[in-house]
Amino acid sequence: MLIREANPGEGPICDELLTQLIQMESRWDENMDETFTVCDNYEHRMTEDDTLLLVAEENGEIIGFLFGFLYPSPVHKKPLALLDALYVREEHRKQGCGKALANRFLDFAQKQGAASVELKVITQNAAALRLYESLGFGEIKKYMQCKL
């Protein structure tokens, strides 16, 4: 498996994977539209400053992706990093792909001078929680929601 930065033209593949992530998460969030299709999201995002769009490739096929970025905060001394999206195709899970993608982003964030990496994860997604905890992530804030 090869972890690398996405090449120009691979944005649509990452859009497809983000669509699959939304479909997966819709089983836990009834307000997510499982029919939504992501289009033209990553092609331009990969060229923005302080962003990283990674793909995991195996035998010439993209099997996973990660998108993250740095953002300055006026109340923090150093910038923060956000791991915005991470997805691995179901048939390639539990083989170290997600961990490799996340570690590459953690390295990027550290080299860019970020104080920490943040992410949001659906609390019912036990596999994702295990992955992030194995990487050293821990709960420091709660993101809460009041359904109306």
Side-chain angles (χ1 to χ4, degrees):
M1 172 182 36
L2 172 67
I3 304 297
R4 62 174 175 77
E5 290 187 36
N7 294 320
E10 291 177 330
I13 297 167
C14 295
D15 289 345
E16 173 193 328
L17 294 173
L18 180 57
T19 298
Q20 291 175 24
L21 175 60
I22 291 167
Q23 290 168 348
M24 182 186 78
E25 289 186 341
S26 71
R27 71 179 114 170
W28 298 301
D29 185 344
E30 62 192 37
N31 192 39
M32 290 184 81
D33 181 0
E34 70 277 356
T35 66
F36 180 77
T37 301
V38 179
C39 296
D40 301 321
N41 183 53
Y42 287 121
E43 195 64 33
H44 74 280
R45 304 273 331 252
M46 71 174 71
T47 61
E48 294 174 352
D49 290 340
D50 295 327
T51 65
L52 188 61
L53 180 61
L54 297 172
V55 294
E57 183 180 345
E58 190 168 84
N59 299 323
E61 176 192 7
I62 294 177
I63 61 170
F65 87 106
L66 179 147
F67 177 72
F69 55 91
L70 267 65
Y71 65 96
S73 166
V75 299
H76 293 95
K77 296 174 185 175
K78 292 181 175 182
L80 304 172
L82 180 68
L83 193 164
D84 187 59
L86 169 61
Y87 183 77
V88 176
R89 294 184 194 271
E90 191 168 357
E91 62 272 19
H92 296 280
R93 293 184 189 154
K94 297 186 180 180
Q95 299 172 21
C97 183
K99 188 172 269 193
L101 285 162
N103 277 325
R104 178 83 177 266
F105 182 69
L106 292 171
D107 289 342
F108 165 81
Q110 183 177 32
K111 288 176 183 170
Q112 297 297 315
S116 62
V117 175
E118 298 179 348
L119 58 82
K120 290 190 283 186
V121 59
I122 292 180
T123 54
Q124 293 93 336
N125 190 343
L129 287 168
R130 281 191 303 274
L131 168 66
Y132 296 133
E133 288 169 353
S134 77
L135 291 163
F137 284 86
E139 188 175 308
I140 60 162
K141 298 177 187 177
K142 284 196 182 273
Y143 177 85
M144 299 174 75
Q145 181 181 68
C146 177
K147 292 188 179 187
L148 303 175

